[in-house]
Amino acid sequence: MDNKRRFALVGTGNRGTTMWGKDLLAGWRGLVDLVAIADTNSLRAERARTMIATNAPIYDSVDSMLAETRPDLVIVCTPDDTHDDIVVRALESGADVITEKPMSTTVEKIRRILEAEKRTGRRVDVSFNYRFAPTAARIKELLNAGEIGRITSVDFHWYLDTRHGADYFRRWHAYAERSGSLFVHKATHHFDLLNWYLDSDPDSVGAFADLQMYGRKGPFRGPRCKLCPHKSECDFYLDLEADPFLDALYEEPSEIDGYFRDGCVFREDIDIPDTMVANIRYRNDVHVSYSLNTFQPIEGHHIAFNGTKGRIELRQYEDQPWEAPPEDVILLVRNFPKGKAAVERITVPHSAGGHYGGDDRLRNTLFKPGATDPLGQRAGARAGAMSVLCGIAALESARKGKVVRLADLMPELFVEETQAVSRLAANGA
């Protein structure tokens, strides 16, 4: 027990209850001890505690929880716009923090977290599990090895299907004030992957975005799926009772906080786009073409790196109306083979666990003693900040019709980096 991380879980939605609750205790019980659960909805917290199979005490106040249980680690799984308050209070109590992505939603909230981390000397980790997926790691190895030379551009397109994509429009994510839009909430994963793959920071973003399917574009609307008179004709009808897990966590608990898990995807006050494209210029002169679509018949992504010596390409299938192999195939295509294969097909089998094994590898890195990180997959607060800033810049560009420089949003983050590079140069590094 003395060697275990004493952690508190704040937020008992789907992700908190599974990834950082039930699954964490099931696989890493010898390394962690759940000492408290905090949630503003007491019934949801009680249901989650049963699912997690723990007797940890429940709190409706983060401050009381921190004062009474003194965890050395706090895991934050609450709505995005609340992350900064919880993270800062946890750091100030002397705890380290793991926060679900995105780290936060605005420049001011990012600044609060970075300043608190620096002031307290504690650490913030951001749960960027896509970095840990075996295929992502293999691509990173190929890029690091210089297999395609200097990278000049990237094509990156992410597809959400009409199950997963629509779900964001049922929930609190559908409001920019809560989620920062999907340019922040969802694309923070994708922007972080790009930042990590390219080992650089985004410099400027030009974007377009619109609402094409959901919200006011819908043909009809109702109070929520359960009470909707259009359920028989709506393609997006969600029968919450058919999912015992979601029903237990959200239906009766909605009587406490009024939050319905089956909100109408056609609510007229939805203010985030569902169709997004962005062009990103990186500080190392790589150009990226990115898109995010939320109502496709397929789920997955396509990414291609174009370099001076060739191209690396991946089409990853996550869900689609045909059978796909239980593995990913990375294409490595060389401009000038010179004795090597012109085309190399690199097969990466899917691993068990969430995100093709990425969730398990992330938890191993965070909790297993002596874990190494040769690819730099562990993501701290700066990585969290940079991916969110990219999303903020994209949304601002789409709304204002202009290219947005990240350094204009948060100059101090780039000044500190420039100063660090100058110091290294002065020391002959």
Side-chain angles (χ1 to χ4, degrees), residues 375-396:
L375 295 178
Q377 290 165 293
R378 187 173 180 178
R382 190 183 187 282
M386 201 58 65
S387 66
V388 172
L389 282 177
C390 195
I392 292 172
L395 185 62
E396 181 174 327

Side-chain angles (χ1 to χ4, degrees), residues 130-144 193 196-197 330 348 361 375 377:
Y130 275 119
R131 290 189 182 196
F132 290 83
T135 300
R138 187 70 185 99
I139 289 174
K140 179 66 170 174
E141 290 172 345
L142 294 170
L143 295 175
N144 286 356
L193 273 177
W196 176 63
Y197 281 141
I330 301 169
V348 183
R361 287 164 172 79
L375 295 178
Q377 290 165 293

